[in-house]
Amino acid sequence: MAERDVLVVGAGVFGAAVACELARHGWGPRVRVLERLQPAAGATARAAALVTAVRDDPGQIALARQTLATIATLQAEGEALGWHASGALHVAPAALRPLLEARAAIGAANGVASRWLPHEAALALAPWLDPRAFEHALFFPDDGWLDPHSLASAVLRVAVRHGVRIETAEVRRLVVDGSRVRGVETADGFVGADMVVLATGAWANVLSAPAGLPLPLAPVRSQYWISTPAPCFPREGAIVLMPAIRAYARPELGGLLFGVREPRPAVVDARRLPADLGGFAFEPEDAEGWQTLAAAAEDLGRHLPVLPTLGIAHAVSGPSAYTPDGQLVVGTAPGLAGLVVAAGCNGSGITFSGGVGRLVGELVRGAAPFVDPAPAAPGRLGDFDPQAPDFLAACAAARSRKTSG
Ligand SMILES: Cc1cc2nc3c(=O)[nH]c(=O)nc-3n(C[C@H](O)[C@H](O)[C@H](O)COP(=O)(O)OP(=O)(O)OC[C@H]3O[C@@H](n4cnc5c(N)ncnc54)[C@H](O)[C@@H]3O)c2cc1C
């Protein structure tokens, strides 16, 4: 296919990954990235940044494995990502043994190694765990975590080295001519392109819905806390996933970073999400999520008996673009030629970023996609109201069901 001028809107980790992928295939001089704030200013910089490959869906596993490969490539090129090859430990009571077995099986069938660990070995990786809280421990040695801002910056550096331009501009609307997107409108006027990649994260519907493309995603609050330091949190300890209580944890700053998926996560209409998230709270009356933490304290305390003695040093939250079916929102747009969407992270966009970058790059270049994009089709819900309360509730429910990394 002939090269085209490509506009990537949004310089979070998805937009950065798409630009980098195109640049590595020689398209750099034809690619412009438009970002209204700084790169990674949205969800990306707020992520806990677990990179965990095992998922319920083989396509998503392939995306995550591509991210692990991308991380290895960037490190080999000398980029510092703050990568911790910690592995991820899934711990569960006897009743959830089938869930862990299913994870081991789908991982093995899709190139993700794991092994069962005896209690002592699991506790060596996470000395803070109460041994009575779990019967079974399954370890995925190739998972890890990193600094999400460093990842996005490194990916953009590679893109820029290969000719991509990054510009500060707010896109006000997609410019549609009949059934084709011709470019975008910014404060400085019209910017034309053969292809627009919409990578505006939780804000995606603000631009797509007025253009006639409601996307099946909504901004749902993700949040976690970081405890004060304690000797039981080794800096090179493992990521721990606790599916029985829908919680996760990893070491951070000598303390423990931990999060829970609450029964009723906060969700907003994307039009209410400010461009600058500094100072924004989904629930202003409980900006730091103390109510969520209090509701989960009993469950967390069973796994983390030291919890009542810890202080909370940081509370972090931000918007993730959740979808009712847990699939991404990636691909070409029905009835809107010239538009490709890269969104719908379901709180795992760092994990999927390398794969989404590759897949969207292939779609833009007209190359054969390495993963079937059909389950992530942007138009899969047809015409609907992405601001309707029941739709927003369905997106929030997807977060409360989540037990993966
Ligand atoms: C608290 C928290 C914890 C998380 N933990 C993890 C984790 O452990 N592992 C994991 O894999 N993922 C995690 N995530 C999810 C991850 O952060 C996201 O999936 C990922 O960052 C999404 O990247 P994105 O590029 O789609 O969106 P964003 O990073 O939000 O980027 C979108 C960009 O578009 C820009 N933009 C929006 N509208 C416009 C416009 N009109 N014009 C120009 N620019 C525009 C924004 O300024 C922003 O920079 C977490 C998220 C949060 C909030």
Side-chain angles (χ1 to χ4, degrees):
M1 176 174 288
E3 288 187 5
R4 303 151 152 205
D5 287 322
V6 181
L7 266 187
V8 178
V9 185
V13 75
F14 277 9
V18 172
C20 183
E21 172 73 12
L22 289 169
R24 286 195 191 275
H25 284 85
W27 283 48
R30 311 290 298 269
V31 177
R32 291 166 74 180
V33 179
L34 303 185
E35 165 58 52
R36 63 184 170 190
L37 298 174
Q38 306 82 34
T44 296
R46 289 166 171 77
L50 314 182
V51 180
T52 52
V54 76
R55 305 277 149 178
D56 297 339
D57 177 299
Q60 293 190 354
I61 292 177
L63 296 174
R65 290 187 64 210
Q66 175 59 48
T67 303
L68 289 168
T70 300
I71 288 168
T73 301
L74 289 166
Q75 292 197 114
E77 291 171 343
E79 296 289 352
L81 308 178
W83 173 247
H84 295 256
S86 62
L89 189 63
H90 298 224
V91 295
L96 287 191
R97 168 95 189 185
L99 175 73
L100 297 197
E101 284 175 349
R103 287 182 178 177
I106 196 169
N110 291 280
V112 180
S114 66
R115 59 178 184 269
W116 297 95
L117 293 186
H119 255 74
E120 320 78 71
L123 292 169
L125 294 171
W128 50 268
L129 267 174
D130 189 326
R132 295 164 302 181
F134 66 100
E135 283 291 324
H136 304 292
L138 181 65
F139 184 58
F140 290 82
D142 299 327
D143 291 344
W145 55 278
L146 45 60
D147 172 18
H149 195 276
S150 297
L151 174 66
S153 303
V155 168
L156 284 172
R157 260 195 305 279
V158 174
V160 168
R161 266 206 304 276
H162 289 80
V164 171
R165 285 163 295 161
I166 305 174
E167 297 163 26
T168 305
E170 176 159 36
V171 171
R172 292 177 169 171
R173 69 180 181 95
L174 300 175
V175 176
V176 181
D177 175 9
S179 59
R180 166 163 280 281
V181 173
R182 298 283 177 196
V184 302
E185 183 186 293
T186 71
D188 294 329
F190 174 71
V191 184
D194 297 315
M195 187 73 84
V196 173
V197 176
L198 188 65
T200 49
W203 293 270
N205 265 314
V206 177
L207 293 175
S208 71
L213 179 67
L215 294 172
L217 58 85
V220 176
R221 179 179 61 190
S222 292
Q223 62 181 352
Y224 58 80
W225 301 268
I226 303 173
S227 80
T228 48
C232 60
F233 303 130
R235 285 174 189 268
E236 295 309 322
I239 293 169
V240 178
L241 301 181
M242 296 157 271
I245 60 167
R246 295 180 159 73
Y248 62 88
R250 69 161 172 82
E252 177 74 25
L253 305 170
L256 193 72
L257 179 159
F258 61 97
V260 287
R261 283 66 177 248
E262 59 275 55
R264 275 175 297 283
V267 57
V268 294
D269 174 339
R271 296 170 302 184
R272 282 190 46 220
L273 202 59
D276 184 348
L277 295 172
F280 170 74
F282 277 80
E283 291 175 339
E285 68 286 359
D286 185 26
E288 301 194 307
W290 301 131
Q291 288 170 13
T292 307
L293 193 51
E298 197 180 321
D299 278 346
L300 283 168
R302 271 202 312 279
H303 289 72
L304 176 61
V306 72
L307 181 65
T309 69
L310 296 171
I312 298 296
H314 302 280
V316 179
S317 68
S320 288
Y322 273 87
T323 66
D325 57 7
Q327 291 288 348
L328 287 141
V329 181
V330 170
T332 50
L336 268 186
L339 184 69
V340 183
V341 181
C345 67
N346 285 293
S348 296
I350 307 300
T351 291
F352 294 137
S353 59
V356 167
R358 176 173 169 189
L359 176 59
V360 172
E362 287 165 347
L363 296 174
V364 169
R365 292 188 292 113
F370 83 111
V371 171
D372 178 8
R380 63 186 180 272
L381 291 192
D383 193 18
F384 71 101
D385 177 4
Q387 279 91 40
D390 56 346
F391 173 73
L392 298 181
C395 293
R399 173 175 163 82
S400 64
R401 285 195 301 272
K402 188 175 173 186
T403 62
S404 61

